[in-house]
Amino acid sequence: VKNCHNHGTVVSNVSSNSYQRFKVGGVIGFSEAAGLVLEDCSNNCDLTLSGKTKGVFYAGGIMGHTDKNMTAKNLVNNNALTVNFVGSNARIGGVVGEFGGAESTISTLTNNGDITIDGESTGGNIAAGGVIGLTSAPTTGLTNEGNLTFKGTSSTYYHGGGVIGYNAAASSDLLNTGSVTYEATPTTYAAAGGVIGYNTGALTTIAEGKTYVAKNSGVVTLNGTSTTEYYGGGVIGHNT
């Protein structure tokens, strides 16, 4: 899938009393194609996802979710992403909600749109990032210039980052200039970082021509109550 550009507004209103997975993207909602090459694509209109389910919400400016190994390169989201949900889990990113394939190749992803999330998590977890919500695959060359804002209630676990919400792989050349704002009450756990919310991956390699592995110049704000664990950092919220 190459040279695909969306200029049409995407609006999704969904509801289910059973466990469901809702996946929305400016170019692709969900890809189950192993070996997919997604390259030189952009989203240029607002995306809005709202609904209720006991399952998972996936939303991304370009793609909501993939659970296969793939190549993603030169993807740009230029517009706002707004998510209003009641559910157990959510994976929300300015470019991609979740990369599930651990052997994927991901490079040069950019988000320029604001991300606003108003969520009520009923016992699960939320991963939200300016570029990627959650990734199991290595990444390089990710840039976010949009503002990430989360306002919610009863969120059991929240991971929010200016670039990546939950990072589980080696990453390099990560840049955020947008603000990261977390406001929720009550919640059990919250981790918010200027670049990565929750990190288990290696951040050690400086990309050619760069002077940093990860860099943030945006303001990180955490306002919450009744929080058992609360982590905030200019670069990483919680590192393990």
Side-chain angles (χ1 to χ4, degrees):
V1 179
K2 297 183 179 181
N3 297 306
C4 291
H5 306 282
N6 177 49
H7 294 272
T9 301
V10 178
V11 178
S12 178
N13 297 292
V14 293
S15 181
S16 174
N17 292 323
S18 61
Y19 187 96
Q20 300 290 337
R21 294 182 176 93
F22 298 131
K23 307 181 181 186
V24 177
V27 175
I28 298 174
F30 172 56
S31 175
E32 56 183 347
L36 169 70
V37 176
L38 182 60
E39 185 175 354
D40 297 327
C41 295
S42 69
N43 176 62
N44 304 285
C45 284
D46 294 348
L47 281 80
T48 302
L49 169 62
S50 60
K52 178 180 180 181
T53 182
K54 296 180 180 179
V56 189
F57 288 87
Y58 299 87
I62 298 296
M63 181 170 64
H65 177 223
T66 181
D67 57 0
K68 298 294 192 299
N69 293 322
M70 63 168 294
T71 297
K73 182 178 181 181
N74 297 334
L75 307 179
V76 180
N77 176 56
N78 291 313
N79 280 65
L81 174 60
T82 302
V83 180
N84 301 288
F85 76 95
V86 177
S88 296
N89 302 278
R91 310 286 185 260
I92 301 164
V95 178
V96 175
E98 179 178 344
F99 281 109
E103 298 180 7
S104 296
T105 301
I106 304 168
S107 62
T108 321
L109 275 56
T110 302
N111 175 59
N112 298 312
D114 291 341
I115 302 167
T116 304
I117 306 164
D118 190 343
E120 180 179 341
S121 179
T122 55
N125 62 79
I126 299 168
V131 179
I132 301 171
L134 185 152
T135 181
S136 301
T139 62
T140 186
L142 309 186
T143 301
N144 176 58
E145 297 185 356
N147 299 316
L148 173 65
T149 303
F150 175 82
K151 298 180 179 180
T153 59
S154 301
S155 174
T156 307
Y157 291 92
Y158 173 78
H159 314 95
V163 178
I164 303 172
Y166 190 116
N167 181 55
S171 297
S172 65
D173 188 13
L174 309 179
L175 175 64
N176 176 60
T177 62
S179 64
V180 178
T181 303
Y182 171 83
E183 298 179 351
T185 178
T187 188
T188 302
Y189 170 99
V195 178
I196 298 172
Y198 184 87
N199 181 62
T200 64
L203 301 176
T204 58
T205 302
I206 298 177
E208 184 177 354
K210 302 293 181 178
T211 59
Y212 58 84
V213 176
K215 182 178 180 180
N216 172 55
S217 61
V219 176
V220 180
T221 304
L222 293 90
N223 294 313
T225 59
S226 302
T227 303
T228 304
E229 296 182 73
Y230 206 58
Y231 305 98
V235 176
I236 300 172
H238 186 183
N239 185 69
T240 61

